[in-house]
Each structure stands twice: as structure tokens, then as C-alpha cells.
Amino acid sequence: MSRTTRLSSSLLRAAAVTGVAALTLTACGSGSGSGSGSASSGSGDVKVGLITKTDTNPFFVKMKEGAEKTAKSEGVELMTAAGKFDGDNAGQITAIENMVAAGVKGILITPSDSKAIVPAIAKAQAKGVLVIALDTPTEPESAVDALFATDNVKAGELIGEYAKAAMAGKTAKIAALDLAPGVSVGVQRHDGFLKGFGATDSDVVCAQDTGGDQAKGQTAMENCLQKEPDINVVYTINEPAALGAYTALKAKGREKDVLIVSVDGGCTGTQAVKDGKIAATSQQYPLKMAAQGVEAVVTYAKGGKKASGYTDTGVTLITDKPQTGVDSKDTAFGLENCWG
């Protein structure tokens, strides 16, 4: 996957910025470009909405870049919104309402709360808006028209299979540094890891929620080490949590004898794999999710054909210490395809 640069401000047509309690809503048009006669029927005639969990996480920054680039190439207007924090369901509801009022044909959303957002999605759909989930499925998954996402169960399975092989028959004492209650992506990765490892929750000696945050990951690992000092395998929801765990382990002199595995494939996390702080990570591709989502809304706007079902946007195990029987790529590949 090629790297994408940000669109310069000269390519973005400014639109109204509406401040709301928990998010920032902006619109950026991608006109036909200096009167060049784009094939689209008028710049901005079709509006597409993108709602992410935050606008600071590099994963969502890259997702926005993918949406912006595709909106420009398709000659449509992109409106964006982001919550103040991961879990800002109220902010996402407000964003949906604002976008529907602005006349979007479709909304792409990474749900902060997979269940609580469903009624707001249903109201948008009732007004003819196509709603596509990116990265994180709703609960139920059928609450949206389509899902473009990593197979998070597979992402977890890959690092679970890797960890099992790397342990080479040793008795595992597993710590799970999870995401948060109510977020399906966290549950899927956790369950996938256990499936890949051939374990169950009863085999996890310590489980802590981290919100995917590095500082909270460090605290969670410190708590787990107090509870069970002999932990030797650490599953983490993402690489910030993994780096927090590494910091806590290093403070105890345990960083070299505990196996840390993770999911995401951001550039910082992939570099941490190269540096030996994380043994392996499952890399996903947010730019691709957003690009395909925008294309699906454009198709719906032009001909009424709705995207449906689940589209897997891919996942790759990244490690420099490959294990027999587990497909992987090295960090050179990972750094070429990372985000953030």
C-alpha cells in the first residue's frame, strides 16, 4: 500500500465549522480543480461524511487522509467529525445529526460505542443515508449497510498463533491488556488471540482495560506484575498499550524474558517491533478502509446501488523473528506499509 501525503489547504474548499460539545465538524470539498471539467456533476453536489473516534490517533489521521484523497479524485465534498476522546458516543450522535441535516448521501463511521450508536444510525438510514462502519463493527453488525474493516478476529489469531509458536511448549502465564467494555473490536482481538494461542479466559492470569492508551497500559502492566510476577506472555489491544507494558517490564528488568504481541501496525509500533520491544504485531490498513468507503458512497449517490455485507481490508503479521508455520512479513515490509 503506497504512502499518502496530506492534501494541501489549496485543494480543500473550506466549509462551515460547527462547534459541538464533544466534537469538531468540518467539511472539505474537492472541486473539479481550476475549471478542469471533472467528470463529477458539479463539485460538492455529493456530500460524504466521515466520523472517527478521535482526530489525534494516527490511525484515524491516516483514515481521514484516505477519505480526503478519494473524495478529491471522485469530485465530491467530504465532511469530517471526530470525538474529543475514544468513547465519545454523544459526540458521534451529534455528528450524525449534523451531517444528515447538511444533506450527506452517506456516512462512514468508526463507532465509539458499538451498541449505543445504533439508534442514531437507524434515524439516518430512515432518511435515505447510506451508513458504512469502518474498522469497528456495530452491535449488531447488521445495524449498518456495510462494514469495511480488518478482520479483527484474524488479527488476534495471528498474534496468538505466533505467541504459541514462540513459547515453544513453555507454560504460558498470560496477561491481557484489553480495550474497554462495549467496544467490539477489543472483544474480537482478545478472543482471536486466545483462539490462536489455543487458550481460554481461564488461562489469563491478569486482564486489565487500557483504553488503548500507553500510560494506562503501563499502569495495567504494573498491576498485573503485582498480582502475578511470573507473567511471560502479554497480549495487548494495540501498540501504545504494548509500549506501556514494555516500560513497566523494563522497570522490573523483565523486558527481555516476556513476550509482547499486539495489533495495529502503526509506524511507531512497527519500529518497536524492529527495536525488539514488541515481538510481533498484526498490521491493518486504515487508508484502504476509508478509500473504499468513499467509493461506495459515490456509487450509491450516482446509481442507487448500496454496499452491503463485510469487506476485509487485510491484515499482515509483522515480525523480525518468524516462527515456523505462521505466515509473516518482516519490519522492512511493515515500515513501508505502516501509518502514523
Side-chain angles (χ1 to χ4, degrees):
M1 181 180 65
S2 62
R3 300 309 304 269
T4 305
T5 58
R6 284 187 176 278
L7 293 175
S8 66
S9 59
S10 63
L11 292 177
L12 302 178
R13 189 182 65 192
V17 177
T18 304
V20 293
L23 59 94
T24 300
L25 178 66
T26 62
C28 38
S30 52
S32 56
S34 302
S36 59
S38 169
S40 65
S41 57
S43 171
D45 283 356
V46 174
K47 295 179 181 179
V48 181
L50 172 67
I51 304 171
T52 54
K53 295 177 184 179
T54 71
D55 59 8
T56 54
N57 185 315
F59 184 87
F60 300 122
V61 171
K62 182 58 65 175
M63 184 176 283
K64 184 178 177 181
E65 288 179 14
E68 287 174 341
K69 181 180 179 182
T70 307
K72 176 182 180 293
S73 67
E74 294 284 353
V76 299
E77 181 177 325
L78 179 70
M79 303 183 71
T80 66
K84 285 187 175 180
F85 55 89
D86 194 330
D88 183 9
N89 182 66
Q92 290 198 324
I93 290 173
T94 302
I96 289 173
E97 292 171 347
N98 288 347
M99 288 179 178
V100 171
V104 296
K105 292 297 292 182
I107 293 174
L108 314 175
I109 184 169
T110 60
S112 283
D113 189 314
S114 301
K115 293 180 180 178
I117 197 65
V118 169
I121 289 172
K123 289 180 182 178
Q125 290 171 317
K127 294 190 176 182
V129 176
L130 179 72
V131 182
I132 297 174
L134 304 182
D135 177 55
T136 305
T138 51
E139 293 183 38
E141 188 174 310
S142 59
V144 289
D145 294 287
L147 169 66
F148 293 95
T150 305
D151 183 337
N152 282 295
V153 174
K154 182 179 179 181
E157 280 188 65
L158 285 172
I159 56 171
E161 291 169 358
Y162 176 88
K164 182 71 172 180
M167 288 298 287
K170 298 176 186 176
T171 300
K173 292 191 174 182
I174 302 169
L177 303 194
D178 293 315
L179 187 56
V183 184
S184 55
V185 63
V187 175
Q188 290 171 345
R189 292 181 186 182
H190 175 102
D191 291 350
F193 168 79
L194 292 178
K195 181 179 178 182
F197 199 92
T200 67
D201 278 314
S202 63
D203 298 308
V204 177
V205 299
C206 182
Q208 297 265 305
D209 290 331
T210 67
D213 178 79
Q214 184 165 339
K216 291 178 181 178
Q218 180 177 342
T219 299
M221 192 72 248
E222 291 168 350
N223 292 339
C224 284
L225 288 172
Q226 287 182 350
K227 179 181 178 181
E228 181 53 73
D230 295 330
I231 285 168
N232 54 13
V233 176
V234 181
Y235 154 79
T236 62
I237 181 63
N238 65 4
E239 292 141 6
L243 290 170
Y246 176 84
T247 300
L249 288 164
K250 187 174 182 180
K252 296 288 187 180
R254 298 283 319 280
E255 76 276 13
K256 294 187 182 300
D257 57 41
V258 177
L259 185 78
I260 302 174
V261 292
S262 195
V263 177
D264 260 357
C267 295
T268 299
T270 304
Q271 184 63 46
V273 175
K274 183 176 181 179
D275 294 341
K277 297 177 181 179
I278 302 172
T281 193
S282 288
Q283 186 173 71
Q284 53 180 342
Y285 306 104
L287 188 150
K288 186 176 180 181
M289 296 175 196
Q292 291 185 346
V294 171
E295 289 169 355
V297 175
V298 172
T299 297
Y300 171 62
K302 290 181 176 179
K305 181 180 179 181
K306 287 187 175 182
S308 63
Y310 167 62
T311 298
D312 183 356
T313 53
V315 62
T316 306
L317 183 72
I318 303 297
T319 183
D320 284 335
K321 297 178 180 178
Q323 298 295 322
T324 301
V326 184
D327 290 338
S328 65
K329 299 282 188 179
D330 62 16
T331 55
F333 174 91
L335 289 169
E336 287 176 359
N337 293 278
C338 66
W339 42 267

